[in-house]
Amino acid sequence: MKASKLTARGLAYVLQAIGRKIAKYHRAKQTPHGKQSVKKLMAHGASASSIELSGDTKLFDRVARKWNVDYAFYKTGPDKYLLFFKAGQADAMTACFSEYSRKVLNKSKSRRIPIRDQLKRASEQLAQERPRPKERIQEVAHADR
């Protein structure tokens, strides 16, 4: 900043700029936590382990946030992922993964009946009911004329 006369406003502006620069440098030096890219996870310096994961990654995200685990997904195929995590967090990861698997199992045992099964049952019920006699339908049609 070039100024022949330094005012309070100018000084405040310079101090805010310096504060922003220090905060930016500080954030850059911190290691990221939670979900991140594989490259950032490997850059932490600690060794990483991996587990194969198939299915819903969003459900795992919710559980992992609860356990404060640093992890990264690597897509290997359609609906197939490799889950990387820090080896130092193996205990937290074990607890997190057990809770995730419990939730997946509970979700698969859902009490909802699939729509196709509902339609099949409805068609069977209609087939079992007696259709109205054709004579009755024809009488109603003649009466309307």
Side-chain angles (χ1 to χ4, degrees):
M1 178 178 167
K2 294 181 181 179
S4 58
K5 185 173 163 184
L6 189 62
T7 63
R9 184 178 290 163
L11 184 61
Y13 178 77
V14 170
L15 289 176
Q16 283 178 348
I18 292 171
R20 282 192 302 267
K21 192 163 191 148
I22 290 171
K24 183 178 178 182
Y25 180 77
H26 182 68
R27 280 192 306 269
K29 290 296 178 185
Q30 288 182 330
T31 57
H33 295 287
K35 185 178 179 180
Q36 53 199 285
S37 68
V38 176
K39 188 175 184 178
K40 284 183 183 177
L41 186 70
M42 296 298 178
H44 286 203
S47 63
S49 301
S50 65
I51 297 176
E52 284 188 28
L53 180 76
S54 60
D56 191 13
T57 59
K58 289 182 182 179
L59 182 63
F60 184 81
D61 286 337
R62 280 190 224 121
V63 175
R65 258 187 261 129
K66 179 180 171 184
W67 289 94
N68 295 323
V69 176
D70 298 340
Y71 62 98
F73 288 118
Y74 181 76
K75 191 168 189 169
T76 58
D79 223 21
K80 300 248 183 210
Y81 299 91
L82 267 177
L83 174 67
F84 289 95
F85 59 95
K86 287 186 188 176
Q89 294 181 327
D91 296 335
M93 193 65 200
T94 304
C96 175
F97 206 74
S98 65
E99 183 177 339
Y100 167 74
S101 58
R102 187 169 17 94
K103 285 190 175 195
V104 167
L105 288 174
N106 287 341
K107 195 174 184 180
S108 67
K109 294 179 183 177
S110 177
R111 291 178 179 86
R112 288 189 235 154
I113 301 169
I115 292 175
R116 289 186 184 197
D117 291 344
Q118 289 178 5
L119 289 172
K120 189 175 180 181
R121 287 181 186 175
S123 66
E124 289 172 359
Q125 285 179 352
L126 287 174
Q128 288 177 354
E129 291 179 7
R130 290 186 202 165
R132 293 191 337 193
K134 291 183 180 180
E135 299 169 3
R136 174 98 174 117
I137 295 172
Q138 290 174 356
E139 289 175 9
V140 173
H142 288 299
D144 289 339
R145 290 184 188 173

